[in-house]
Amino acid sequence: MLLCGFINRTINPKSVRQSRREGMKGAVSHELEIGLPADEIWAVYRALRLGELAVELLPNVLEKIDIIEGDGEVGTVLRLHFPAGTPMAENYKEKFTKIDDEKRIKEVHTVEGGFLQCGFHSYMVRFEIIEKSEATSVIQTTIEYEVDEQFAANASFVSTASLATIHETVGKYLVQQNSNGSTS
């Protein structure tokens, strides 16, 4: 069953703009500071490890991930499965469209299901790992979307809440592993 919405809604009205031809475009973002070097966090975020850890540590948020195509590089397609009763969709497909190791940026587009079933033309998540110091980094997540004008109210359902939960949990795990001398 598809429900076009989330329980936690966060949107910055200043980030939404209207275009008659393309529909409504907008963006929401979240930042989280982690006490680890940027390269260590990037090693997890750039490939498939982030999803593996999310499934392992937060099965109530992300139940399973199927690799449809690829090996974690640009062009990789995944099907994400969510626990029964999760608002929005039980599963959807996403594709890795950009991985920039120099700037530590990864972009992932929804290509089937999810928000695309709720009047959205596009839905993209960008992860950027920003070095704050040698031992501290910021995980910046931005969701950019475009929604058909007749479904413009659905833009209020776009939220970084579940991604923030994943970042916080994975971040704590990585810090703990680092303090134990383990690798992720």
Side-chain angles (χ1 to χ4, degrees), residues 7 14 17 23 29-30 45 62 66 98 100 103 105 109 114 123-124 129 140 156 175 183:
I7 294 169
K14 293 178 183 177
R17 56 183 153 63
S29 61
H30 174 268
Y45 274 73
L62 185 58
D66 295 324
K98 178 179 183 176
D100 184 330
K103 295 180 181 178
I105 296 173
H109 283 80
Y123 188 87
M124 186 269 299
I129 310 303
Q140 181 178 37
S156 66
V175 167
T183 60

Side-chain angles (χ1 to χ4, degrees), residues 34-51 53 72-74 96-108 125-131 136-141 167 170-171 174 184:
I34 302 285
L36 287 173
D39 286 340
E40 286 184 37
I41 297 170
W42 179 243
V44 171
Y45 274 73
R46 79 159 315 280
L48 299 171
R49 187 66 177 135
L50 176 62
L53 284 172
E73 297 298 323
V74 170
F96 297 1
T97 55
K98 178 179 183 176
I99 298 175
D100 184 330
D101 289 319
E102 187 175 318
K103 295 180 181 178
R104 295 186 202 94
I105 296 173
K106 179 178 181 178
E107 293 181 355
V108 179
V125 178
R126 178 183 306 111
F127 302 107
E128 185 172 0
I129 310 303
I130 302 164
E131 182 176 10
T136 307
S137 306
V138 173
I139 301 169
Q140 181 178 37
T141 306
H167 299 328
V170 169
L174 295 174
S184 60

Side-chain angles (χ1 to χ4, degrees), residues 4-181:
C4 294
F6 289 106
I7 294 169
N8 296 317
R9 300 177 187 178
T10 57
I11 190 163
N12 179 352
K14 293 178 183 177
S15 69
V16 177
R17 56 183 153 63
Q18 188 75 27
S19 168
R20 286 196 177 125
R21 295 178 68 207
E22 299 174 343
M24 188 172 82
K25 292 183 178 184
V28 294
S29 61
H30 174 268
E31 290 187 354
L32 177 68
E33 188 172 313
I34 302 285
L36 287 173
D39 286 340
E40 286 184 37
I41 297 170
W42 179 243
V44 171
Y45 274 73
R46 79 159 315 280
L48 299 171
R49 187 66 177 135
L50 176 62
E52 293 167 352
L53 284 172
V55 169
E56 178 184 330
L57 301 172
L58 292 162
N60 60 320
V61 175
L62 185 58
E63 189 172 272
K64 177 178 144 184
I65 296 177
D66 295 324
I67 301 170
I68 305 299
E69 180 180 319
D71 59 1
E73 297 298 323
V74 170
T76 296
V77 177
L78 306 176
R79 180 174 300 279
L80 285 71
H81 299 268
F82 301 93
T86 299
M88 195 58 214
E90 290 180 15
N91 66 72
Y92 67 84
K93 280 186 187 177
E94 65 180 25
K95 183 175 187 176
F96 297 1
T97 55
K98 178 179 183 176
I99 298 175
D100 184 330
D101 289 319
E102 187 175 318
K103 295 180 181 178
R104 295 186 202 94
I105 296 173
K106 179 178 181 178
E107 293 181 355
V108 179
H109 283 80
T110 299
V111 294
E112 181 183 296
F115 279 99
L116 300 183
Q117 292 180 260
C118 298
F120 284 72
H121 298 291
S122 65
Y123 188 87
M124 186 269 299
V125 178
R126 178 183 306 111
F127 302 107
E128 185 172 0
I129 310 303
I130 302 164
E131 182 176 10
K132 192 168 179 183
S133 72
E134 285 186 22
T136 307
S137 306
V138 173
I139 301 169
Q140 181 178 37
T141 306
T142 303
I143 299 172
E144 295 179 1
Y145 61 88
E146 182 179 341
V147 63
D148 190 282
E149 284 186 42
Q150 83 180 66
F151 298 103
N154 289 346
S156 66
F157 300 133
V158 177
S159 171
T160 59
S162 61
L163 290 169
T165 298
I166 290 170
H167 299 328
E168 290 167 11
T169 303
V170 169
K172 286 176 187 175
Y173 172 83
L174 295 174
V175 167
Q176 180 65 38
Q177 293 297 309
N178 187 285
S179 69
N180 290 339

